[in-house]
Amino acid sequence: MNNGTANGREPAPPTRGLIVVGPGAAFGGPLLRRFAEEGFALGVLSRSSDTVARITAELAADGHDVTGAVADVTDQAAFGAATQRLAAAIGGLTVLVYNAKLSIRGTAFSVRADSMNQTLAVNVTGALTAVQAAVPLLVDRPGATVLLTVAGTRSEPAAGRFALAVGKAGLAAMGGAMAPGLAAQGVRLRTVVLDGRVGLSGPLRPEAVADHFWHAFAAPGGTAFRLAAPPRRRRGAAQLPLEV
């Protein structure tokens, strides 16, 4: 008995597709490249056509094709339609990374309420829109996973980043509340906690962050994956002799 196709060949395995919503300048390219090296078809969604053009050109230089689409997460209908088109173009969706953010500077005593609502519309509600659009495309896909980019908790937000800190905390809480319902549909939700600034000069290097996202997807279990900056060495500290 032949379980393959009519010509006797085994059917090709389904395409594994990655869509990154909001591929930031700090590590968007390395993240996409890391998944491409594992055989993923690549898609990006951004509200900026310049961002889509930059990412596709950057990956093309390395020989990787990226399919891009322009959509705003605050427009639920348009974003949902764009997600469906993009998933179809890359052969199906396996992993959704939500990395979009809006940061409006201000402290707890200076940021305006309407500005806070603007940030929450992207940093929290936008993620809800993205997940709701992606879930029907993820169900029944082997390894179906949603990865949410959040920040490590701090006793005091980075200077001027009060609204962003609140939004990232809200995103982490929403992810935890959504995870059981998604798991019942065969979709894993995992938060990727970046506890530090990402940049070429550190403390979190883009390539290390990209590897961390891959680990968050590939790990057999777990819900939160934290990448912490290495501890700083104190300058001028006395060096004690080793005991023998």
Side-chain angles (χ1 to χ4, degrees), residues 92-178:
L93 180 61
T94 306
V95 180
L96 175 79
V97 174
Y98 192 82
N99 188 57
K101 71 176 184 181
L102 177 61
S103 180
I104 296 178
R105 287 188 174 273
T107 69
F109 307 105
S110 67
V111 67
R112 294 171 55 88
D114 57 349
S115 296
M116 175 65 84
N117 287 335
Q118 280 183 274
T119 66
L120 294 178
V122 175
N123 301 337
V124 180
T125 311
L128 178 63
T129 294
V131 173
Q132 288 177 344
V135 165
L137 306 170
L138 290 167
V139 171
D140 296 329
R141 297 277 296 185
T145 305
V146 173
L147 300 176
L148 304 178
T149 308
V150 303
T153 57
R154 301 183 184 184
S155 58
E156 184 175 334
R161 302 292 185 179
F162 172 78
L164 181 61
V166 171
K168 288 296 186 180
L171 178 59
M174 186 181 73
M178 292 170 56

Side-chain angles (χ1 to χ4, degrees), residues 10-145:
E10 290 296 322
T15 301
R16 295 196 298 176
L18 165 74
I19 292 179
V20 178
V21 181
F27 62 87
L31 168 61
L32 288 156
R33 191 178 298 113
R34 182 67 178 84
F35 277 76
E37 291 169 353
E38 300 291 342
F40 273 72
L42 307 177
V44 295
L45 266 170
S46 174
R47 65 176 179 171
S48 167
S49 58
D50 289 343
T51 297
V52 172
R54 173 181 60 80
I55 286 290
T56 53
E58 180 181 340
L59 271 293
D62 296 330
H64 301 303
D65 292 330
V66 179
T67 303
V70 176
D72 192 325
V73 293
T74 63
D75 186 336
Q76 187 172 19
F79 186 87
T83 302
Q84 290 183 5
R85 292 194 302 271
L86 189 54
I90 64 174
L93 180 61
T94 306
V95 180
L96 175 79
V97 174
Y98 192 82
N99 188 57
K101 71 176 184 181
L102 177 61
S103 180
I104 296 178
R105 287 188 174 273
T107 69
F109 307 105
S110 67
V111 67
R112 294 171 55 88
D114 57 349
S115 296
M116 175 65 84
N117 287 335
Q118 280 183 274
T119 66
L120 294 178
V122 175
N123 301 337
V124 180
T125 311
L128 178 63
T129 294
V131 173
Q132 288 177 344
V135 165
L137 306 170
L138 290 167
V139 171
D140 296 329
R141 297 277 296 185
T145 305

Side-chain angles (χ1 to χ4, degrees), residues 174-187 189:
M174 186 181 73
M178 292 170 56
L182 289 174
Q185 300 182 69
V187 179
L189 187 144

